[in-house]
Amino acid sequence: MKRRQFNRALAAAAAFSAFPGIVRAQATKLKVGVILPRSGYLGFIGQSCQKGADLAPGVIKEMLGVDIELMNADFESNVDTARTRAERLIQEGANVLVGPFDSGAASAIAQVAEQRGVPFVINIAAAPQITEQGYKYVFRNFQTAIDIVRNGLDLIGDLFQATHTVPRTAVYMHVNDTFGQAMTKGIGAMLPRRTQLPFKIVDTISYDPAAKDLTVEVSKAKAANADFLLLVCRLNDAIILRREMVKQRWNPMGIVSPGSPGMYEEQYFKTLGKLSDYSISNVPWYNPNSKLTKVVEKAFLKQNPKDKLDFHGLNAGFTFEAILIAADAYKRARSTDPKTLADAIRQTNIVDKMSLGGPIKFNDKGQVEGIGSACVQNMNGLPTVVLPQSAAKAKPVFPAPYYKKT
């Protein structure tokens, strides 16, 4: 009797191993591997993104009736670690990967996802080449650096027009990581074609985003005697840079980012206090008036009663949307088979979303198009939309009140 039972079990195991897709298709939960930099120099931003992931299972269960199991991994702001974390999550049974905020890490995870045939939905990462490789399992619900630069430069033009200012020169400072290099390439290609913009870049200064001291770089930027600072940054370096500007008494017309994180983050405000005010970031943003934003905000405040969505709307919003994309596809596919799930993601058409712009729809490369940007200025301790006028909560201030013409 025991031998017969053993033989039946062996036959069943052989049948399942011959058709692994069948086993995965019968899963009752969608296992989402969330890879974020919750420590290291990107740690505060990764933690901000994690807030969007943490509230996703509850909100999505109520919206779609889909059960989600989060499998969280910290890649510690290290690209090589991101690769090994992705491998481990897939090995432990993740049906889909979500993350990672950083372009370098996204490129590494994309390679792993494609090799292993597991869908990967990028929440935030802008380097264009990620979706130019012909990948079949990689999808990005975020602007490319080219889109960010295009929208960011146009918003700079709108800013100057709205404030009746005509700066003639800018000094350009940027992080030298994958994202910073992609942004710099985009600015170099597009700025000469934006003939409506009155300024030219008189000096370009790159630096390590993990730098602990930017004394030399700020001194060089100040010596350029430019009207304003054009900045592509991260969070920690933005704080160090702003402090160094004050220390060296460098007061240009303003700090304007054509599209990068850092200056709208909560830690920027907490660390710098009033020195954080008037910094400007032209970035993809969330729509505070959308129905989904209001649902997410309610859940966010319940889980984070001491926080404000204003500081986390971009990070948490795009992370939530990435998980929503996976859950929506899973509901339609009724399967966790990786190819079936990837095919369903490719057919995504989500109209009710958090981010500005059109519906979430992927092109043949796995890239979403039509995500909108906003000009976000720090005012009274909060990141505040000042352009476009249709979404604005205040009028832009430029030059900043601390500006001293020399």
Side-chain angles (χ1 to χ4, degrees), residues 297-316:
E297 185 171 26
K298 184 178 179 181
F300 179 89
L301 293 175
K302 186 176 181 179
Q303 285 196 16
N304 308 278
K306 295 182 179 180
D307 281 337
K308 293 183 178 181
L309 187 63
D310 306 65
F311 295 117
H312 305 280
L314 189 155
N315 299 323

Side-chain angles (χ1 to χ4, degrees), residues 1-316:
M1 191 68 179
K2 288 182 179 178
R3 184 178 295 173
R4 248 186 256 119
Q5 289 173 337
F6 175 77
N7 287 339
R8 283 197 203 106
L10 193 63
F16 284 144
S17 64
F19 301 98
I22 291 177
V23 178
R24 299 188 78 169
Q26 293 173 343
T28 56
K29 277 188 178 183
L30 179 68
K31 295 183 177 181
V32 181
V34 181
I35 310 178
L36 294 167
R38 299 200 309 274
S39 62
Y41 71 92
L42 296 173
F44 285 116
I45 297 176
Q47 293 163 28
S48 178
C49 291
Q50 187 68 49
K51 292 178 185 292
D54 290 343
L55 60 84
V59 174
I60 291 173
K61 172 68 174 177
E62 202 167 312
M63 285 175 60
L64 303 179
V66 172
D67 286 316
I68 294 171
E69 178 184 335
L70 296 184
M71 303 169 66
N72 297 317
D74 173 16
F75 75 85
E76 303 168 7
S77 303
N78 183 289
V79 171
D80 291 334
T81 304
R83 189 187 306 274
T84 58
R85 293 290 188 270
E87 290 277 7
R88 184 185 299 174
L89 285 170
I90 293 170
Q91 195 171 358
E92 292 174 352
N95 306 126
V96 60
L97 301 178
V98 164
F101 177 82
D102 176 68
S103 288
S107 296
I109 296 167
Q111 292 172 11
V112 173
E114 194 69 15
Q115 290 166 2
R116 299 293 295 271
V118 172
F120 172 36
V121 184
I122 297 170
N123 65 337
I124 300 169
Q129 61 267 29
I130 298 170
T131 46
E132 294 292 330
Q133 307 296 317
Y135 291 146
K136 301 300 181 185
Y137 289 88
V138 178
F139 306 88
R140 173 164 47 191
N141 182 42
F142 198 71
Q143 293 178 1
T144 66
I146 295 169
D147 296 325
I148 292 175
V149 170
R150 181 187 302 111
N151 294 341
L153 291 177
D154 288 345
L155 281 167
I156 289 176
D158 294 341
L159 171 69
F160 294 162
Q161 187 173 12
T163 56
H164 309 289
T165 52
V166 189
R168 296 298 182 185
T169 57
V171 58
Y172 174 50
M173 300 184 71
H174 69 91
V175 287
N176 61 8
D177 58 9
T178 305
F179 168 67
Q181 291 169 6
M183 289 290 289
T184 300
K185 186 176 180 180
I187 290 170
M190 292 186 187
L191 185 56
R193 287 184 266 165
R194 292 298 190 272
T195 54
Q196 77 276 18
L197 294 177
F199 68 91
K200 66 177 181 178
I201 293 175
V202 293
D203 199 1
T204 296
I205 302 164
S206 67
Y207 62 88
D208 186 341
K212 303 296 184 184
D213 189 302
L214 293 171
T215 303
V216 174
E217 289 82 359
V218 170
S219 178
K220 185 179 178 184
K222 180 183 179 182
N225 199 31
D227 290 332
F228 74 101
L229 169 59
L230 188 67
L231 178 64
V232 170
C233 58
R234 297 294 196 175
L235 173 57
N236 291 359
D237 58 286
I239 293 170
I240 293 169
L241 188 149
R242 184 70 187 101
R243 279 176 165 166
E244 189 60 36
M245 288 177 67
V246 174
K247 184 179 178 181
Q248 296 193 25
R249 298 181 181 179
W250 178 32
N251 297 305
M253 293 177 76
I255 309 170
V256 183
S257 170
S260 65
M263 297 190 295
Y264 54 77
E265 307 288 350
E266 183 176 27
Q267 200 63 29
Y268 187 79
F269 289 84
K270 281 186 174 180
T271 305
L272 294 174
K274 290 184 179 181
L275 296 178
S276 64
D277 275 349
Y278 305 109
S279 299
I280 295 173
S281 307
N282 295 340
V283 287
W285 203 248
Y286 71 101
N287 181 359
N289 299 319
S290 81
K291 292 180 182 178
L292 183 56
T293 296
K294 292 176 181 177
V295 170
V296 170
E297 185 171 26
K298 184 178 179 181
F300 179 89
L301 293 175
K302 186 176 181 179
Q303 285 196 16
N304 308 278
K306 295 182 179 180
D307 281 337
K308 293 183 178 181
L309 187 63
D310 306 65
F311 295 117
H312 305 280
L314 189 155
N315 299 323

